[in-house]
Amino acid sequence: MRNKSVVTESKQIQLAIELVNLGARLQVLEAETNLSRERLLNLYKEVKGVSPPKGMLPFSTDWFMSWQPNIHSSLFIDIYRYLGKNAGLSGIEAIVKAYRLYLEHVEVNNLESVLSLTRAWSLIRFLDAKMLTTVPCTECGGYFVVHAMDLHRGYVCGLCHVPSRAGKTRQAAAAAAVSAGAALKLPAPALIGSKLRVAAARVS
């Protein structure tokens, strides 16, 4: 039993280190590991070289509704669900692997990462609590994050109907969406085609 507890503790420490390296806040570490707060504080300082930031976690769902965060969040959810369906992953393991894939897509396309790990973790909790959900765009068929209590009939996503305030970021977000969908080979050719169309239109 002692050996089992040592192995379990080692896995918990490895998970905590991985979460810290990905930018997770201390509250995420407390929720996802069984390590004491004092030990997590010391671990965070050892890994990062500084004390963890203070303050509450983001608790509003409104951040996920603004244009660029909504696109990045929707991409992350697509990846997360893809891994759950095809790789059998769940929980924090699925979140970490999905977030790493998200970062990889962003880096490949030389784009700025909009979604932090803490935001991604919060997004899953909001979805589980049915505060947020995803609905299909009536034009491209892709699924996007929306408030669960809103009316969604005739919903059109922010890629098919880009707001004027989006400015120069429109091309970058469209390129990120195309990359994620194509790389994962999601079963939505209409979605990929639509996003390619949006990206091409923004370049011209």
Side-chain angles (χ1 to χ4, degrees):
M1 294 298 294
R2 176 60 182 169
N3 289 337
K4 183 178 180 180
S5 67
V6 170
V7 171
T8 301
E9 184 179 38
S10 176
K11 290 181 178 179
Q12 292 281 297
I13 293 173
Q14 290 175 358
L15 173 60
I17 291 174
E18 185 174 20
L19 292 174
V20 170
N21 283 325
L22 288 173
R25 296 276 295 275
L26 185 63
Q27 294 94 324
V28 177
L29 304 183
E30 290 180 301
E32 297 298 341
T33 72
N34 296 322
L35 302 176
S36 67
R37 181 178 177 84
E38 181 179 0
R39 190 158 192 186
L40 289 172
L41 281 169
N42 292 332
L43 187 63
Y44 191 101
K45 292 178 183 178
E46 184 176 346
V47 174
K48 286 289 190 178
V50 295
S51 297
K54 298 180 180 180
M56 298 177 61
L57 290 180
F59 61 87
S60 174
T61 57
D62 291 340
W63 183 87
F64 299 98
M65 297 301 105
S66 54
W67 185 72
Q68 199 169 23
N70 183 264
I71 293 172
H72 283 250
S73 299
S74 300
L75 289 174
F76 170 78
I77 286 298
D78 276 347
I79 299 171
Y80 175 81
R81 288 176 172 171
Y82 181 87
L83 291 177
K85 180 179 180 180
N86 294 280
L89 300 180
S90 62
I92 190 62
E93 182 183 9
I95 293 175
V96 168
K97 290 188 181 298
Y99 188 71
R100 286 193 179 279
L101 269 176
Y102 161 76
L103 291 179
E104 180 181 321
H105 299 319
V106 171
E107 182 180 356
V108 165
N109 289 276
N110 297 316
L111 302 174
E112 180 182 356
S113 172
V114 174
L115 188 70
S116 68
L117 177 65
T118 298
R119 291 278 190 187
W121 180 81
S122 298
L123 174 60
I124 299 301
R125 291 171 71 90
F126 287 143
L127 287 165
D128 290 344
K130 301 189 185 305
M131 297 173 67
L132 295 176
T133 187
T134 58
V135 297
C137 171
T138 55
E139 292 193 12
C140 69
Y143 279 75
F144 291 82
V145 177
V146 296
H147 282 124
M149 301 303 292
D150 285 352
L151 298 176
H152 307 127
R153 185 175 181 179
Y155 175 80
V156 179
C157 73
L159 283 172
C160 293
H161 187 269
V162 181
S164 58
R165 65 182 181 275
K168 295 182 179 179
T169 61
R170 292 179 296 181
Q171 177 184 343
V178 174
S179 173
L184 285 171
K185 298 182 180 179
L186 298 175
L191 169 61
I192 297 174
S194 175
K195 291 175 179 177
L196 284 169
R197 170 178 56 76
V198 173
R202 295 300 174 257
V203 173
S204 59

